[in-house]
Amino acid sequence: MNKAELVSAIAKRADVPASTVDSVLTGLQDELVEAITRGEKVAVSGLLTVERTQRSARTGRNPQTGESIDIPAANTVKVTAGSNLKKAASNVPV
C-alpha cells in the first residue's frame, strides 16, 4: 500500500476528505522527522515506537573483492511494532 492508497482508505473509513487525511499524514511525517532530529522517542500506544539509535563504527568486508573496509559510526532509526500490530501479525496464518 502506497501513500495515496493509504490516504484513500483512511478517508473512506473516517468519512473525511482525502485532502484532510493527506494533510494529517504530512504533518505526522514532519513531526516524526523533527522529533528524530532532536533525539526524541515517539510512541503511538499500541501502534509503534520510533526512535533514533546509534550504530558504532565497525569493520566490514567488500563482498566482491573480500577487502576489509572501515564502516563509520552512524545514527539510524529504529521502528518497533506496538501490541496491536504484533497481535494482527500473529493472527495471520503462515
Side-chain angles (χ1 to χ4, degrees), residues 4-28:
E5 293 168 339
L6 180 61
V7 167
S8 294
I10 293 171
K12 183 177 178 182
R13 183 178 293 249
D15 195 28
V16 296
S19 60
T20 301
V21 175
D22 189 53
S23 295
V24 169
L25 286 180
T26 300
L28 174 64

Side-chain angles (χ1 to χ4, degrees), residues 6-91:
L6 180 61
V7 167
S8 294
I10 293 171
K12 183 177 178 182
R13 183 178 293 249
D15 195 28
V16 296
S19 60
T20 301
V21 175
D22 189 53
S23 295
V24 169
L25 286 180
T26 300
L28 174 64
Q29 177 182 327
D30 294 343
E31 285 301 317
L32 283 174
V33 168
E34 288 181 19
I36 293 301
T37 301
R38 292 188 302 264
E40 296 176 358
K41 179 178 179 177
V42 178
V44 181
S45 183
L47 184 62
L48 56 84
T49 302
V50 181
E51 63 185 313
R52 184 176 73 194
T53 60
Q54 292 181 336
R55 186 180 301 153
S56 58
R58 61 194 189 280
T59 302
R61 188 176 61 83
N62 182 329
Q64 291 181 337
T65 64
E67 176 185 359
S68 291
I69 55 173
D70 292 325
I71 302 171
N75 289 322
T76 187
V77 176
K78 177 182 174 185
V79 179
T80 306
S83 59
N84 291 342
L85 284 180
K86 288 178 183 178
K87 184 177 177 182
S90 69
N91 289 336

